[in-house]
Amino acid sequence: MWRGVWAEWGRFLPRTEKTPELTLYEGGTPLLPAPRLAEWVGGGVRLYLKFEGQNPTGSFKDRGMVVAVAKALEAGARHLVCASTGNTSASAAAYAAAAGIRASVLIPAGKIARGKLAQAARYGARILAVRGNFDQALAVARQLAESRPELALVNSVNPMRLEGQKTAAFEVVEQLGEAPDVLALPVGNAGNITAYWMGFLEYRRAGLSRKLPRLFGFQAEGAAPLVLGHPVERPETVATAIRIGRPASGEKALAAARDSGGAILAVSDAEILEAYAAVARLSGLFAEPASAAPVAGLRRLAAEGRLEAGQRVVAVLTGNGLKDPETALGGDLVERSVESVEAEPRAVAERLLAGSGVA
Ligand code: F0G
């Protein structure tokens, strides 16, 4: 059985004798070959999906959170604080619950997916809806944590978060037997792409892989500060997880993309929603809208002839689709998909054989 990030990857983590044992059995997520989705992407690539939605709170944040929270406990913290577009808050709340300490989360009012809010509330976090966007909430959280040492900041500006998140890169190498040619992922606050690059470099340095992937990070067009080259004051996108205008790790993310021979690019909300639908229908995995950004981006790269046939390409599906029921049910999907029928075999058979339903 998979034993969680500390137990499986502890030799690469800053563990001391005083680090408490903490796990929700995060990490160890599947890398799924997705041939039907690969055809949709185009370019003749061999596409794999790293399904981070299978983590205990349904996103990659758990890998970093387990390390950040254990190290905070080691330092004597009893109260976590973070700003979040949703997933970080769910994860912080879960690990606080497991450890028996407090979590306070600052979210942009009205702009986080309902499932994520439900998680934070059920895990027992204090939830403050800040009248402002994520960037403003993060600025407040950082100032608070600086002036009040009893608050442990668990955003990805905490280097322990990236230490934990880099383990996803190790897993990709183990699962493929070598680093992929290309790895694509969504970019918001820009911690995760930075962590993947750390992980691939560290694994190669340890002699456990020989090559490095090109990293392609995708932002949403309405929230693409790293593509535009300046902060975006009012970021907007359907992919609320990456609705961020001032990425805290922006410089490191740009360096990771550049040094790897990749890039940070933007995709439109329309492309994201198209990819969001395609991922579910053509792979069987259900990922949230932000996680569809790299799939949309790969399709665009393929159309531009920037991917080579036969290349091994990994798209990181960062969060579970169940987290965002509003988007999932958007465009009257339920009304179009659900047919009412008598509880009677003939009536049911008639409907089924008529082949109706959503195409
Ligand atoms: N995908 C999902 C599902 C996310 O929740 C996030 C970030 C990202 C991608 C982008 O990762 O910030 O490391 O570049 N969510 C943060 C949060 C901001 O508060 O949950 P990043």
Side-chain angles (χ1 to χ4, degrees):
M1 195 191 109
W2 181 263
R3 296 167 300 146
V5 158
W6 280 109
E8 300 288 347
W9 295 119
R11 63 196 183 282
F12 294 97
L13 297 173
R15 182 158 57 180
T16 73
E17 314 84 79
K18 295 206 188 84
T19 310
E21 282 190 24
L22 180 68
T23 190
L24 290 172
Y25 299 124
E26 60 291 313
T29 59
L31 185 76
L32 183 82
R36 297 185 67 220
L37 188 63
E39 290 209 3
W40 184 84
V41 164
V45 299
R46 287 186 282 166
L47 180 68
Y48 298 81
L49 303 173
K50 181 67 171 161
F51 190 42
E52 291 290 276
Q54 196 152 306
N55 275 294
T57 77
S59 87
F60 71 96
K61 304 287 179 179
D62 297 338
R63 291 178 185 277
M65 198 57 71
V66 73
V67 175
V69 176
K71 294 305 280 185
L73 289 169
E74 183 178 339
R78 307 294 302 161
H79 191 165
L80 310 177
V81 67
C82 68
S84 181
T85 56
N87 282 323
T88 298
S89 64
S91 188
Y95 285 91
I101 61 173
R102 295 170 65 186
S104 295
V105 304
L106 277 55
I107 57 168
K111 296 290 183 184
I112 86 166
R114 299 285 283 182
K116 301 173 188 180
L117 195 55
Q119 289 180 289
R122 284 287 161 195
Y123 289 129
R126 185 80 180 263
I127 304 172
L128 301 178
V130 175
R131 289 186 287 274
N133 58 34
F134 168 84
D135 305 292
Q136 293 164 303
L138 180 59
V140 171
R142 291 176 88 153
Q143 283 167 26
L144 261 182
E146 263 164 38
S147 60
R148 297 177 188 267
E150 70 271 28
L151 295 176
L153 185 67
V154 292
N155 280 106
S156 59
V157 292
N158 177 336
M160 293 303 123
R161 280 276 312 279
L162 303 191
E163 288 292 326
Q165 284 172 213
K166 75 186 178 191
T167 62
F170 303 163
E171 289 177 22
V172 168
V173 174
E174 290 299 327
Q175 287 165 318
L176 285 176
E178 184 46 272
D181 298 297
V182 169
L183 183 126
L185 75 176
V187 171
N189 211 24
N192 209 31
I193 188 169
T194 305
Y196 267 92
W197 188 233
M198 277 168 56
F200 284 119
L201 288 174
E202 197 169 329
Y203 223 55
R204 192 182 62 161
R205 209 178 310 124
L208 295 166
S209 66
R210 278 181 313 193
K211 61 181 206 187
L212 295 167
R214 298 170 71 196
L215 297 187
F216 285 91
F218 292 96
Q219 302 199 293
E221 273 176 7
L226 300 180
V227 180
L228 297 170
H230 58 76
V232 174
E233 292 307 325
R234 286 187 193 73
E236 274 311 336
T237 169
V238 64
T240 52
I242 52 171
R243 185 174 169 272
I244 292 174
R246 265 178 208 278
S249 303
E251 291 304 321
K252 287 186 206 152
L254 287 166
R258 188 193 53 230
D259 295 349
S260 74
I264 297 184
L265 305 166
V267 286
S268 69
D269 274 11
E271 289 174 290
I272 288 173
L273 288 174
E274 207 190 344
Y276 170 70
V279 168
R281 277 164 184 253
L282 301 176
S283 80
L285 296 182
F286 185 25
E288 67 171 279
S291 304
V295 177
L298 288 170
R299 180 168 156 98
R300 197 194 277 182
L301 289 180
E304 292 169 357
R306 294 169 71 181
L307 299 177
E308 284 167 42
Q311 277 190 327
R312 295 206 290 187
V313 173
V314 171
V316 183
L317 301 184
T318 47
N320 198 300
L322 294 171
K323 283 172 168 281
D324 188 347
E326 302 99 313
T327 306
L329 295 170
D332 67 8
L333 181 66
V334 171
E335 290 72 10
R336 287 188 297 121
S337 308
V338 182
E339 300 170 56
S340 159
V341 64
E342 292 301 328
E344 201 267 305
R346 218 172 49 140
V348 173
E350 257 170 36
R351 293 295 182 89
L352 297 189
L353 301 176
S356 55
V358 173

